[in-house]
Amino acid sequence: MQAGAIALRFPRQNVLARLGDWMAAHRRAILAAQWVVVAFYALLVVLPAFLPIPSAQARLFSGDAWHERLALLAQYLFWGLWWPFVILSTMFMGRVWCGFLCPEGMLAEFASRHGRGGAIPRWMRWSGWPVAAFILTTVYGQLVSVYEYPQAALLILGGSTVAAVAVGYLYGKGKRVWCRYLCPVSGIFALLARLAPVHFRVDREAWNRYPVRTHAVDCGPLLNVKKLGGMAQCHACGRCSGHRDAVALAARSPNAEILNGLNGERPRTSEAILLIFGALGVALGAFQWTVSPWFVALKQAAAEWLIDRNILWPLEEGSAWWLLTNHPEAGDVFTWLDGAAILVWIFGIAAV
């Protein structure tokens, strides 16, 4: 019998528990849906990168240039609907995005099942990777204007997907090694999932008294299901639901994992750093610099200081678009001073 689909000796009465059992029993349907999401993801990320950049006057529901409307539609669907849905779904349902819909996770696991199956290297298990990856991708995304230009989005998101597939091919045996250790948003999702009002509850007494030996749960993110204590790392895929009559999807208080973590678990330094300096620092600075008059004043003062000393090269334009935003056709070109000012602003906000 397939792991995670162990038959129950007693019928489930709870609606959430039955939903979890349905997820465990319909893996093929879920897998088919994941391939559809992969195709849709590729359409939104890849296609706009090969279309001309929309002009400043282009609008989603007006104009004659179909390619501009298509590019704006893809941008709106991805950044305006897709990502807000991902964040909200993680807060209310746990990391169901990771377990059901994430193209990177699905492709990484697929590559791992057909790859070399190498042992996970020690350096990859470093707990600081989610922090470093989130900060680096967030800052780099601002330098290349990832939200405005599809080429930048393809570079960052497509590059991340290629890396996920490569890691999956090289390491693990059908597991999501990339998701567990290296994914840039894994740390943020882990923080948000702690607030989810549902979780997969494990009854350890029922687990231990189960009368027959069973296969291990095919857990993508390599978790010890028997000792599963929260939703931070769980991908909410439902594969373990019903296992040994001890695992069930259930409701809980949104603060349950936070309180239990403070009282019963060793504090996670990496999560604290990610929350304080990443989510509340770097992310805030990244979203703020474009509308802050203080940022403009800082850059203007720096430009005047450079001109007074006849240091003009930081004011020059023409860097590669994948290093600093460089789209003259859209009237959007960053100088080296722009890039330096963005870095100083973001890391300054994080430090404050």
Side-chain angles (χ1 to χ4, degrees), residues 70-128:
L70 180 59
L72 291 176
L73 177 62
Q75 184 180 33
Y76 172 72
L77 290 176
F78 194 84
W79 298 113
L81 294 180
W82 188 312
W83 273 111
F85 163 77
V86 171
I87 298 299
L88 291 175
S89 67
T90 304
M91 293 178 62
F92 289 103
M93 296 181 289
R95 298 178 63 169
V96 66
W97 161 260
C98 300
F100 276 85
L101 302 174
C102 179
E104 278 191 8
M106 186 269 180
L107 292 173
E109 184 175 353
F110 177 80
S112 183
R113 292 190 184 278
H114 299 82
R116 294 174 53 185
I120 304 173
R122 187 174 180 178
W123 64 264
M124 193 176 290
R125 299 176 184 269
W126 179 49
S127 62

Side-chain angles (χ1 to χ4, degrees), residues 44-45 48 74-75 78-79 83 136-158 286-287 289-290 321-322 324-327 332 334 342:
L44 292 182
V45 174
Q75 184 180 33
F78 194 84
W79 298 113
W83 273 111
L136 288 175
T137 54
T138 300
V139 173
Y140 181 56
Q142 296 303 304
L143 294 177
V144 296
S145 302
V146 66
Y147 300 121
E148 286 77 24
Y149 300 105
Q151 292 87 351
L154 177 60
L155 175 63
I156 293 178
L157 299 176
F287 288 116
W289 70 269
T290 56
W321 68 266
W322 47 265
L324 288 174
T325 299
N326 188 357
H327 297 284
D332 193 6
F334 284 2
I342 292 172

Side-chain angles (χ1 to χ4, degrees), residues 170-214:
L170 294 174
Y171 306 112
K173 297 179 179 179
K175 304 301 181 183
R176 298 190 173 196
V177 178
W178 169 267
C179 305
R180 175 64 184 275
Y181 298 109
L182 300 176
C183 176
V185 292
S186 177
I188 293 296
F189 288 169
L191 291 172
L192 296 175
R194 291 187 181 276
L195 302 174
V198 295
H199 72 138
F200 280 94
R201 182 177 57 201
V202 180
D203 186 337
R204 296 186 185 180
E205 293 184 2
W207 183 293
N208 291 331
R209 67 171 178 262
Y210 196 72
V212 297
R213 187 173 182 178
T214 61

